[in-house]
Structure formats: structure tokens, C-alpha cells
């Protein structure tokens, strides 16, 4: 038997959620939502999806819709996700979760009260090279950690002619922190444990962008495109994070872990696909770094041209297994609350220009 899923939002939803769900043998996409009904119907027709809506209440009234993925822009997440849960449907929520941690926590508590499964789309937990890194850290390969260094330097918004939209607005959840920092905060917690305190600086290198909906008129940008963050983990380990979406020829995405027994380095210089291209390197103290083979037991059953698809299918499988077992297993929306908390505190630190403590989670 398959579970009926509706996809709400047709940007990332059309590119990844719909094909990812359709690839899964136990998931059937039964409905799609877009604020433009004509577009929703066109997508439904092209993907053989039975129903199309521009009203969420009508979509949620369908008995065959048992679960809903929400991949709209972040400023819509809270209200839409709340409607989904209040209608008794399981939830998969894209990151960043919401605009503030109080909203994410409310959604998590609502799901708990109603006995529903609510998870976040944290794809890196399901990528083979990342899973092997987690295993080696768990085995104590580096020993006592001395320093963690994360660089995620991308080119996606380096062109100043890229159009102005919601992503340019802080109040709509735009910016590099929400887009990629949400992932980084989740995997820091997953791999290394909770954060004790942090200090952050956010900046915007491109303060104006043309709005094609207004004849190309330049509109102000107040969302960050570069973030530098210092963190102290609960065990005292210092962690440096550099995030940017405006770095021509940026080095890509790298995680470096230095300890008293050895070093682990995971990275990819692929600026066109943020999942494809990761390699894992390791060295015990005094040795040279060497590339590590990723065990076949961790490999994707199938890879796709778009690297995001294979890990998303694993996210979908995780969601389905949680629904079957009625267990909100990690990563659930609980991990989404923590990621959103760290994003909120990053903004607070930047505004106050000081270190801020992270409440115990």
C-alpha cells in the first residue's frame, strides 16, 4: 500500500519533491498546490498528478492526502504547516523552518499533541560521505577535537543582475543564513553536539538588485549574503563557520575537524551541485591526508543528474518509516527547532555585536 502525499510549493517542490516522491515505490503524489491555479494544473497534468489546487484548505480536505510536504518560501511556512497539522496530516517541512524559533517550536508541539509525524528536510544526514564522516567521528578517529572549521563558499548569487525577489528580504526569510546556514547548524549539532554560545557578523555585498516585475527597477536588499560565525560547543571545542553565496570561484563546501589523534576533512568544490562531489580525507597525527573509500553499504541505490534527488529520496523514506512506526525519529522537526534557534541567535548576536549564550536544548 502507498501513502498519498501532496506537494505544496512548486519551485524546489517541482524540481526535487515531486520526482523524489514519485521515485519511491510506497509514495503516491496525489495533489499539488500553487497560488496560480493554472500553473498548478499544468504541473499536475505534466506529472500525472490527479489534483491541483490554489487553495490549501481544499487540498487538505481530500481524504487521500495523508501527508504534505511544504516547500514554499519560508515566510509562508508557519501558517501553511500549521494548517497541515491542524488538518491531521503528516508534515515534511523545508528549511529554513520558519521566521522565528517560537513558530517552529509551536509546530513541533502541535505535531506532538496530534500524534503526527513532522520532519525537516536535512539532506546532508543522508549523503554517504557525510554518513561515513559521522561514523569515524563516533569511533573517535580524531580523538579530542581541537578545532572545527567550516567553509561554504558558493557563487549562486554572485551576479548582481540576479533578480530581486523574496530571497532579498530579511523579513521574508531570505539570505544565505537561512538557505545554507540552516543546514550547517543542523549538521554541527548532529556531528559534534550542542552549541554553548556563538558570535556572528552578517553582511550584504550586493545591496540592490533589479526587479523584473517592476521594469528592472533596482530594489533594496537587506538579507545577508555572507555570514561569519564563531561558536563554542558544549564540550569547549571552537568552531569557525564562513558562509557566502557571492564568492566567484569560492572553494565550495568543506568541513575540517582537527583533534589530538588525527584529522578529518570532508569537502566538495562543485559549485553547481551542492550534493555531488564530496570526498572524505583522513590522517592520523603525523601522517599525510589520504582519501577514504566510502563503504558500499552507505552508497545510494541510484544516483541522478541532480545530486539533491538521491538524498531527498532517503529523506522521503525516513519520513515514511516514521509514519509507519508512529515514531518521530531524528531528524524530526525537533532538530528543525534547534537549527532555527541558532539562526535566531545569530541575528541577535549580529545586532547586539556580542557573544550570545545558547539555551540548553
Amino acid at each position: 500500500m502507498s501513502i498519498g502525499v501532496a506537494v505544496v510549493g512548486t519551485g524546489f517542490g517541482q524540481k526535487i519533491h515531486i520526482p523524489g516522491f514519485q521515485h519511491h515505490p510506497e509514495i503516491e503524489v496525489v495533489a499539488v498546490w500553487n497560488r496560480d491555479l493554472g500553473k498548478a494544473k499544468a504541473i499536475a497534468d505534466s506529472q500525472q498528478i490527479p489534483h491541483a489546487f490554489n487553495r490549501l484548505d481544499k487540498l487538505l480536505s481530500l481524504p487521500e492526502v495523508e501527508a504534505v510536504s511544504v516547500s514554499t518560501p519560508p515566510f509562508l511556512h508557519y501558517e501553511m504547516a500549521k494548517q497541515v497539522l491542524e488538518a491531521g496530516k503528516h508534515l515534511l517541512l523545508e528549511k529554513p523552518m520558519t521566521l522565528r524559533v517560537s513558530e517552529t517550536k509551536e509546530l513541533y508541539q502541535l505535531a506532538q499533541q496530534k500524534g503526527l509525524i513532522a520532519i525537516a528536510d536535512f539532506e546532508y544526514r543522508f549523503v554517504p560521505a557525510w554518513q561515513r564522516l559521522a561514523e569515524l567521528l563516533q569511533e573517535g578517529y580524531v580523538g579530542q577535537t581541537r578545532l572545527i572549521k567550516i567553509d561554504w563558499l558558493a557563487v549562486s548569487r554572485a551576479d548582481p543582475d540576479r533578480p530581486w525577489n523574496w530571497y532579498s528580504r530579511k523579513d521574508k526569510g531570505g539570505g544565505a543564513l537561512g538557505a545554507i546556514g540552516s543546514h550547517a547548524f543542523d549538521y554541527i549539532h548532529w556531528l559534534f553536539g550542542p552549541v554553548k554560545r556563538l558570535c556572528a557578523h552578517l553582511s550584504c555585498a550586493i545591496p540592490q538588485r533589479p526587479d523584473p516585475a517592476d521594469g528592472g527597477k533596482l530594489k533594496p536588499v537587506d538579507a545577508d549574503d555572507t555570514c561569519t560565525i564563531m561558536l563554542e560547543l558544549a564540550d569547549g571545542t571552537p568552531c569557525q563557520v564562513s558562509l557566502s553565496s557571492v564568492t566567484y570561484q569560492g572553494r565550495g563546501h568543506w568541513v575540517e575537524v582537527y583533534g589530538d589523534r588525527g584529522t578529518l576533512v570532508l569537502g566538495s568544490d562543485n559549485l553547481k551541485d551542492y550534493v555531488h562531489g564530496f570526498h572524505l580525507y583522513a590522517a592520523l597525527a603525523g601522517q599525510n591526508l589520504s582519501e577514504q573509500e566510502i563503504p558500499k553499504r552507505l552508497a545510494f541505490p541510484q544516483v541522478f543528474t541532480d545530486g539533491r534527488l538521491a538524498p531527498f529520496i532517503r529523506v522521503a523514506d525516513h519520513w515514511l518509516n516514521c509514519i509507519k512506526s508512529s515514531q518521530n525519529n531524528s531528524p524530526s522537526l525537533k532538530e528543525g527547532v534547534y537549527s532555527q534557534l541558532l539562526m535566531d541567535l545569530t541575528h541577535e548576536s549580529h545586532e547586539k555585536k556580542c557573544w550570545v549564550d545558547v539555551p540548553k536544548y
Side-chain angles (χ1 to χ4, degrees):
M1 294 180 65
S2 62
I3 185 171
V5 170
V7 175
V8 174
T10 53
F12 191 71
Q14 183 180 3
K15 292 176 182 176
I16 300 299
H17 285 218
I18 291 174
F21 289 139
Q22 289 179 331
H23 187 83
H24 197 290
E26 296 180 78
I27 296 176
E28 181 184 1
V29 181
V30 296
V32 63
W33 175 96
N34 186 283
R35 61 183 177 182
D36 181 332
L37 184 58
K39 186 173 181 180
K41 287 181 175 179
I43 292 169
D45 289 344
S46 67
Q47 301 297 325
Q48 291 80 52
I49 298 171
H51 303 283
F53 297 93
N54 65 346
R55 283 183 54 182
L56 187 57
D57 58 340
K58 286 191 173 182
L59 180 149
L60 294 173
S61 70
L62 282 179
E64 56 263 50
V65 173
E66 300 169 73
V68 179
S69 74
V70 176
S71 59
T72 52
F75 65 92
L76 298 173
H77 285 183
Y78 169 69
E79 291 294 343
M80 286 184 156
K82 188 174 181 180
Q83 277 187 260
V84 168
L85 294 172
E86 287 178 337
K89 316 292 185 179
H90 303 293
L91 172 69
L92 191 162
L93 187 59
E94 267 301 334
K95 32 59 56 189
M97 300 293 102
T98 56
L99 297 182
R100 54 193 64 87
V101 69
S102 59
E103 295 176 340
T104 313
K105 184 178 288 188
E106 183 184 336
L107 294 175
Y108 169 68
Q109 291 171 342
L110 180 59
Q112 293 290 99
Q113 291 165 9
K114 289 186 166 289
L116 296 168
I117 301 301
I119 72 167
D121 182 21
F122 289 132
E123 296 178 19
Y124 286 100
R125 291 175 179 247
F126 299 91
V127 177
W130 288 77
Q131 293 178 328
R132 183 57 181 154
L133 172 64
E135 289 181 347
L136 290 172
L137 289 169
Q138 188 66 32
E139 293 166 10
Y141 184 92
V142 302
Q144 180 63 47
T145 51
R146 293 175 171 175
L147 173 67
I148 299 160
K149 190 173 187 299
I150 297 168
D151 288 335
W152 196 343
L153 307 179
V155 69
S156 57
R157 302 189 69 81
D159 183 354
D161 291 328
R162 181 160 181 174
W164 182 92
N165 60 7
W166 67 264
Y167 190 101
S168 303
R169 296 177 56 177
K170 177 183 174 182
D171 66 338
K172 298 294 186 182
L177 182 67
I180 59 179
S182 53
H183 276 302
F185 285 146
D186 176 64
Y187 68 65
I188 288 170
H189 186 214
W190 168 47
L191 296 171
F192 308 113
V195 177
K196 181 180 180 181
R197 61 181 188 143
L198 61 82
C199 182
H201 176 71
L202 308 179
S203 61
C204 177
I206 303 175
Q208 293 181 311
R209 291 186 181 274
D211 182 4
D214 194 10
K217 181 181 178 181
L218 290 175
K219 296 284 184 70
V221 176
D222 65 357
D224 60 90
D225 53 36
T226 299
C227 318
T228 52
I229 310 164
M230 294 186 292
L231 307 99
E232 180 187 350
L233 303 188
D235 65 2
T237 303
C239 178
Q240 299 176 323
V241 180
S242 297
L243 310 172
S244 182
S245 59
V246 292
T247 48
Y248 287 119
Q249 305 307 319
R251 71 185 297 237
H253 191 179
W254 294 82
V255 179
E256 303 169 23
V257 189
Y258 301 95
D260 63 357
R261 291 189 62 239
T263 297
L264 289 168
V265 176
L266 174 69
S268 170
D269 59 6
N270 188 336
L271 297 178
K272 295 182 179 180
D273 188 316
Y274 64 73
V275 173
H276 273 156
F278 279 102
H279 297 273
L280 178 62
Y281 305 88
L284 293 173
Q287 298 180 1
N288 294 326
L289 282 171
S290 60
E291 185 168 356
Q292 304 297 294
E293 184 176 353
I294 307 303
K296 290 183 179 179
R297 60 182 167 79
L298 298 177
F300 290 124
Q302 182 178 348
V303 292
F304 303 84
T305 301
D306 190 324
R308 301 171 295 181
L309 198 49
F312 180 78
I313 292 169
R314 284 186 167 177
V315 171
D317 191 60
H318 167 70
W319 190 29
L320 180 65
N321 288 334
C322 288
I323 292 170
K324 285 180 176 179
S325 66
S326 299
Q327 296 290 326
N328 263 300
N329 297 319
S330 178
S332 71
L333 199 57
K334 183 178 181 181
E335 284 69 30
V337 172
Y338 194 68
S339 172
Q340 188 66 51
L341 170 64
L342 294 182
M343 284 194 292
D344 285 12
L345 293 176
T346 297
H347 283 292
E348 180 183 337
S349 172
H350 170 73
E351 291 163 5
K352 293 182 176 179
K353 302 187 184 304
C354 67
W355 285 86
V356 297
D357 293 331
V358 179
K360 286 191 176 181
Y361 175 60

